[in-house]
Amino acid sequence: MELLSGAEMLIRSLKDQGVEYIYGYPGGAALHIYDALFRQDDVKHILVRHEQAATHMADGYARATGEPGVVLVTSGPGATNTITGIATASMDSIPMVVLCGQVASHLIGEDAFQETDMIGVSRPIVKHNMTVRHPSEIPQLVKKAFYLAKSGRPGPVVIDIPKDMTAPNGRFEYEYPEKVSMRSYNPAVRGHAGQIRRAVDMMMNARRPVIYAGGGVVLGKASQQLTDLAHELGFPVTNTIMGLGGFPATDPQSLGWLGMHGSYESNMAMHHSDLILAIGARFDDRVTNATDKFCPGARIVHVDIDPASISKTVQADVPIVGPVDSVLEEMRSLVRESEEQPDQEALGAWWKQIREWGQYRSRYHYEQNGDNIMPQEAIQALYRVTKGDAYVTSDVGQHQMFAAQFYPFDKPNRWINSGGLGTMGFGFPAAMGIKLHMPEQEVVCVTGEGSIQMNIQELSTCKQYHLPVKIINLNNQALGMVKQWQDMNYESRYAHSYMESLPNFEKLFEAYGHVAFTVTRREDLEPVLEKAFAMKDQLVFVDIYVDPYEHVYPMQVAGGSMKDMWLSKTERV
Amino acid sequence: MRRIISILMENEPGALSRVVGLFSQRNYNIESLAVAPTEDPTLSRLTLTTEGSDKVIEQITKQLNKLIEVVKLVDLTEGSHVERELMLIKLRATGAQRAEIKRTVDIFRGQIVDVTSTVYTVQLTGDGEKLDAFIQAVGTMGVLEVVRSGVSGIARGEKVLSL
Ligand SMILES: Cc1cc2nc3c(=O)[nH]c(=O)nc-3n(C[C@H](O)[C@H](O)[C@H](O)COP(=O)(O)OP(=O)(O)OC[C@H]3O[C@@H](n4cnc5c(N)ncnc54)[C@H](O)[C@@H]3O)c2cc1C
Ligand SMILES: Cc1ncc(C[n+]2csc(CCOP(=O)(O)OP(=O)(O)O)c2C)c(N)n1
């Protein structure tokens, strides 16, 4: 058997795990590892400019592919800089493995130079974390980390690696384990047959059903099964913002997405339904509004791989713990075998009602404001120019909502946003992580002038590794989402929600060796976007000055039910 | 309602802090906690008591089960069970009080495990109520120090919590 040092074993384990790229930043406690990286070519390392960006790069890659992204950082500040990115991944159940240097074992607890208790600091925001206690454990721990990150409900896993564990002088027999098993960890592999049968019975007897499909459908790679089931039943489908593309947005059965800024028809359909089929969604407060007023007439079937997601905020009538793909498959075969059929007349009347809602307030509705470019039309232009087929990452704010509303996604894994934590600064590095792995694909980050400045240093990384992503800045010259809340709840007292001195973005991007265009007139919008996307080899920033007064609508009325919404600045239903 | 949750978990560093961390992170409350290795040295047994509505208790058990090191758990209060707590209590014992304390200890089936000319140290086991009752009974006689182990519990009959 081969004899390797701890650091060499770490890198070899990554290679044997099939890892091609890792993202990171070096420092004292990680230097043995960096030296081992230097002496091989299989695992490629991308040097970011801030560790947070490394986590978002890994995260973007993971969201686009389903494979865990890998981050390598040093102890102390290197490790703590990853916290926001780990929390972002954790909230959205994204598989990630974070390798952190740590001070040498004999120094732990002594407030040694760059010592942080990373196990303690990261504990509440990881799926699991572990410390290397002997170099020979490294292959086993790496295998475990990947297994935990990816299986069941995915999530981030941290490995803390004291410096002496990777010292070059120790030599250990290397073998990468083929599999791991853990007596304390056995995620469900299929749903309870009796419960699935009960659910199908309820589906057959529903008169006003809605399928409410979440991020679990994307994570569980079950969009085909979901689409097939929905088509076979003829039921309407609404997605969460995390589930976009899990059901094709341009399918006639799609109602768009639901929740705080969801479509009128989705929220109305949910509220008036008699059966909600929740698939890989977690009844988040951005979706349900006040839970005591939530969908009063609906019975709820809830499919989720994590039992703790079920009946956490809203009580389920039929809980089904299991992976979406196999549960949906079983539902489909029961539906096919079933002698019963949903009452077509009732379903027809239900669809008629839903179409009326859709006509009352189209999900693509917005109003013009003089000559100003509306943020919605900028997204629609982006959709046309990219033929609706780009990987779209987003930052957090109004632009995120407009992108989700006006760029209908027909495929899963194409819409990449921080939903649960809502991390400004996420979008750009996430786009970089995707572009790196899929250089042939169009990857675009929709951002705001607030968010983009939260990881703008990565322009330098893009130059170094040639990552020609496109960045679409919906420039409303304010922290728009905050400003909207201040308009609605604080009589337009704009406490620190505007940007008093924006940089000259054109010069800034040029300084980093990239290209930037500014758009201020409607007639330039599409031509400039065309020009930007034609520049295949360039990172291009398109700074679009949009209407600074626009709000995101619909917007649920706080404390109300799902059907209580503002539809414009003056219309409340 | 008060619950006794008994957990079998990997006897690994950090496992306990994960359980305790979960309670503060999710705003649950721990009333008492007792933990020690089992006959299988790779496993620890942790017993905790907590209070909450059925919904909260359901979330607590689900969230605990999600912790990677938690192998199995049971809510002992769902079935019949035995519940015990150990108390060591140091009492001022001088003059006539010495006999009085001795008598009370006997009534409660406790033991005096350490004696000086002015102090008795008493050991007592039972459920929480019994220990409370003892403290009340000797209350006027000068309690110097109370140490309680936290509740341990086990199901009655054939039921066992094991791998
Ligand atoms: C400014 C802002 C506004 C927002 N407004 C909205 C809004 O209006 N509407 C909206 O929907 N969201 C909105 N969000 C996002 C929101 O905060 C939540 O992130 C989102 O609603 C959660 O989506 P989800 O329920 O699909 O759950 P996810 O976080 O995607 O969780 C997935 C669920 O699926 C389960 N799962 C994972 N894998 C599997 C599998 N293989 N099989 C079965 N189950 C699986 C998981 O256990 C989990 O319960 C907003 C966010 C921001 C930042
Ligand atoms: C790191 C972080 N800090 C603060 C917030 C709160 N927040 C949510 S949206 C928003 C404004 C975003 O402004 P911008 O990026 O310009 O987007 P816009 O809303 O104008 O489209 C803020 C500050 C956040 N989500 N993330």
Side-chain angles (χ1 to χ4, degrees):
Chain A
M1 219 179 275
E2 241 177 317
L3 292 179
L4 300 178
S5 74
E8 288 165 343
M9 286 202 287
L10 182 66
I11 302 303
R12 267 294 285 283
S13 300
L14 294 178
K15 177 191 171 220
D16 290 343
Q17 182 63 38
V19 174
E20 193 184 355
Y21 288 105
I22 65 177
Y23 322 89
Y25 209 88
L31 284 184
H32 296 324
I33 304 171
Y34 272 86
D35 193 51
L37 259 177
F38 188 83
R39 288 181 286 105
Q40 54 87 55
D41 295 319
D42 298 311
V43 178
K44 297 179 206 57
H45 178 272
I46 303 296
L47 178 71
V48 291
R49 301 301 184 260
H50 186 299
E51 290 88 348
Q52 183 188 344
T55 59
H56 296 329
M57 277 189 86
D59 184 321
Y61 161 72
R63 288 178 202 242
T65 62
E67 292 302 316
V70 185
V71 174
L72 171 62
V73 294
T74 189
S75 66
T80 55
N81 268 353
T82 65
I83 293 298
T84 301
I86 295 172
T88 303
S90 175
M91 287 294 273
D92 291 341
S93 308
I94 304 304
M96 181 185 290
V97 173
V98 181
L99 309 168
C100 293
Q102 180 56 281
V103 300
S105 314
H106 69 277
L107 295 174
I108 290 180
E110 294 186 354
D111 300 321
F113 177 63
Q114 296 197 325
E115 178 185 358
T116 299
D117 172 14
M118 186 57 179
I119 293 294
V121 170
S122 65
R123 188 183 302 120
I125 52 166
V126 292
K127 179 164 174 185
H128 195 53
N129 58 21
M130 38 210 180
T131 300
V132 179
R133 299 194 182 275
H134 192 273
S136 61
E137 291 178 356
I138 287 175
Q140 183 73 28
L141 291 187
V142 171
K143 184 79 198 177
K144 233 186 195 179
F146 277 87
Y147 170 59
L148 287 172
K150 204 183 155 179
S151 59
R153 180 177 185 169
V157 177
V158 167
I159 309 184
D160 199 39
I161 312 168
K163 189 168 184 181
D164 46 325
M165 297 297 129
T166 53
N169 45 352
R171 296 267 135 191
F172 307 91
E173 290 188 348
Y174 173 80
E175 188 180 13
Y176 196 60
E178 290 204 339
K179 54 177 193 198
V180 274
S181 74
M182 295 161 78
R183 60 182 174 185
S184 60
Y185 176 73
N186 299 294
V189 289
R190 54 185 307 182
H192 187 277
Q195 293 290 84
I196 296 177
R197 194 167 288 280
R198 271 182 70 200
V200 171
D201 279 346
M202 282 163 76
M203 279 143 68
M204 292 306 167
N205 290 298
R207 301 175 67 82
R208 298 184 308 280
V210 183
I211 298 177
Y212 151 48
V217 172
V218 179
L219 294 163
K221 296 191 179 357
S223 47
Q224 192 57 53
Q225 289 89 331
L226 172 68
T227 308
D228 292 344
L229 180 72
H231 285 163
E232 282 155 13
L233 291 164
F235 287 2
V237 182
T238 177
N239 284 112
T240 67
I241 225 179
M242 295 309 297
L244 299 187
F247 185 78
T250 59
D251 188 289
Q253 279 170 240
S254 169
L255 311 184
W257 48 279
L258 82 174
M260 177 174 270
H261 293 300
S263 70
Y264 178 70
E265 56 198 292
S266 285
N267 288 345
M268 293 300 278
M270 284 288 285
H271 185 83
H272 292 95
S273 66
D274 69 347
L275 177 68
I276 293 173
L277 207 56
I279 317 277
R282 56 183 177 83
F283 293 85
D284 185 80
D285 55 63
R286 302 282 103 161
V287 165
T288 57
N289 213 359
T291 46
D292 56 336
K293 299 179 187 146
F294 179 76
C295 304
R299 291 203 290 165
I300 295 171
V301 173
H302 193 174
V303 182
D304 202 293
I305 197 149
D306 178 3
S309 276
I310 297 177
S311 301
K312 180 168 61 181
T313 61
V314 169
Q315 190 69 28
D317 297 291
V318 181
I320 301 175
V321 178
V324 270
D325 51 352
S326 82
V327 172
L328 287 171
E329 238 1 295
E330 284 183 55
M331 284 182 171
R332 284 187 64 206
S333 58
L334 288 177
V335 166
R336 275 196 302 266
E337 286 163 21
S338 171
E339 320 237 295
E340 280 181 289
Q341 253 215 356
D343 179 339
Q344 291 306 308
E345 209 170 301
L347 201 55
W350 179 227
W351 269 115
K352 184 161 169 287
Q353 170 69 75
I354 290 173
R355 295 300 179 218
E356 278 167 21
W357 286 324
Q359 259 150 28
Y360 180 75
R361 195 7 169 116
S362 154
R363 76 183 95 137
Y364 301 116
H365 170 89
Y366 63 93
E367 276 154 41
Q368 300 285 356
N369 183 14
D371 286 338
N372 289 348
I373 300 174
M374 300 309 289
Q376 297 93 332
E377 66 185 309
I379 300 295
Q380 287 179 325
L382 176 68
Y383 181 79
R384 286 192 298 273
V385 169
T386 56
K387 303 184 177 57
D389 203 33
Y391 283 81
V392 180
T393 73
S394 161
D395 268 305
V396 172
Q398 291 184 319
H399 60 273
Q400 175 188 23
M401 299 299 119
F402 292 133
Q405 289 178 333
F406 288 85
Y407 197 112
F409 291 89
D410 282 337
K411 294 180 194 161
N413 307 94
R414 299 268 162 152
W415 163 246
I416 312 281
N417 85 135
S418 164
L421 199 67
T423 306
M424 290 171 69
F426 169 82
F428 173 37
M432 293 162 58
I434 301 167
K435 190 71 185 171
L436 179 71
H437 288 265
M438 305 181 184
E440 300 308 315
Q441 299 287 340
E442 210 62 87
V443 183
V444 45
C445 166
V446 175
T447 187
E449 68 302 327
S451 293
I452 190 62
Q453 294 190 77
M454 284 212 183
N455 264 317
I456 203 154
Q457 76 286 345
E458 297 308 317
L459 288 172
S460 172
T461 312
C462 287
K463 189 69 194 165
Q464 181 176 355
Y465 298 100
H466 186 64
L467 299 171
V469 299
K470 304 293 181 274
I471 303 172
I472 306 300
N473 189 34
L474 299 187
N475 193 339
N476 52 13
Q477 298 160 70
L479 302 176
M481 182 61 94
V482 173
K483 193 172 152 217
Q484 171 168 350
W485 282 60
Q486 290 169 335
D487 280 332
M488 296 177 77
N489 301 322
Y490 301 92
E491 297 168 318
S492 300
R493 289 187 296 276
Y494 299 138
H496 301 273
S497 58
Y498 51 96
M499 290 275 177
E500 290 203 289
S501 69
L502 284 180
N504 180 327
F505 280 118
E506 290 196 8
K507 281 195 180 154
L508 181 71
F509 278 73
E510 270 165 35
Y512 277 107
H514 305 299
V515 178
F517 300 127
T518 307
V519 179
T520 55
R521 296 182 313 173
R522 173 168 294 130
E523 56 268 33
D524 296 336
L525 179 59
E526 208 151 320
V528 171
L529 285 175
E530 293 283 5
K531 187 165 74 171
F533 282 92
M535 300 172 83
K536 295 275 173 225
D537 284 342
Q538 288 282 350
L539 184 153
V540 187
F541 179 80
V542 186
D543 195 12
I544 306 173
Y545 277 74
V546 295
D547 181 62
Y549 307 105
E550 183 57 321
H551 285 178
V552 182
Y553 292 110
M555 180 162 175
Q556 283 174 340
V557 179
S561 70
M562 283 204 77
K563 73 169 182 359
D564 300 318
M565 289 171 266
W566 287 98
L567 296 185
S568 72
K569 284 181 188 166
T570 49
E571 185 186 3
R572 182 180 159 162
V573 290
Chain B
M1 203 182 121
R2 174 173 170 276
R3 304 295 185 113
I4 306 173
I5 296 174
S6 196
I7 303 173
L8 264 189
M9 60 185 195
E10 300 290 355
N11 185 10
E12 278 171 10
L16 175 61
S17 60
R18 252 183 256 281
V19 171
V20 176
L22 177 74
F23 275 73
S24 58
Q25 181 192 338
R26 297 204 175 256
N27 206 14
Y28 309 141
N29 105 72
I30 297 185
E31 277 178 4
S32 80
L33 181 76
V35 58
T38 64
E39 79 286 2
D40 172 350
T42 67
L43 287 172
S44 291
R45 177 84 174 234
L46 185 154
T47 313
L48 63 84
T49 56
T50 181
E51 189 112 25
S53 64
D54 287 354
K55 191 179 151 124
V56 169
I57 298 295
E58 183 183 326
Q59 267 297 312
I60 290 179
T61 54
K62 284 171 166 181
Q63 296 291 351
L64 282 168
N65 257 318
K66 260 173 85 170
L67 297 176
I68 305 296
E69 284 119 341
V70 168
V71 185
K72 266 189 186 170
L73 66 80
V74 61
D75 177 351
L76 288 174
T77 19
E78 277 181 352
S80 64
H81 61 279
V82 182
E83 168 186 346
R84 288 289 178 274
E85 192 174 350
L86 171 78
M87 175 166 73
L88 295 171
I89 177 167
K90 201 170 270 190
L91 301 165
R92 168 85 47 221
T94 47
Q97 280 178 338
R98 290 178 83 86
E100 180 59 24
I101 291 174
K102 179 87 180 53
R103 233 185 344 267
T104 315
V105 169
D106 287 342
I107 293 168
F108 279 83
R109 298 201 196 153
Q111 287 159 292
I112 296 172
V113 291
D114 189 52
V115 179
T116 73
S117 57
T118 52
V119 167
Y120 277 161
T121 302
V122 176
Q123 169 191 314
L124 197 66
T125 45
D127 60 18
E129 268 170 40
K130 174 176 162 186
L131 304 190
D132 291 343
F134 179 81
I135 295 175
Q136 242 182 356
V138 297
T140 50
M141 300 175 218
V143 174
L144 297 174
E145 190 178 352
V146 177
V147 182
R148 294 170 71 151
S149 64
V151 171
S152 284
I154 198 162
R156 285 188 188 276
E158 302 277 312
K159 240 200 263 166
V160 290
L161 181 64
S162 67
L163 285 186

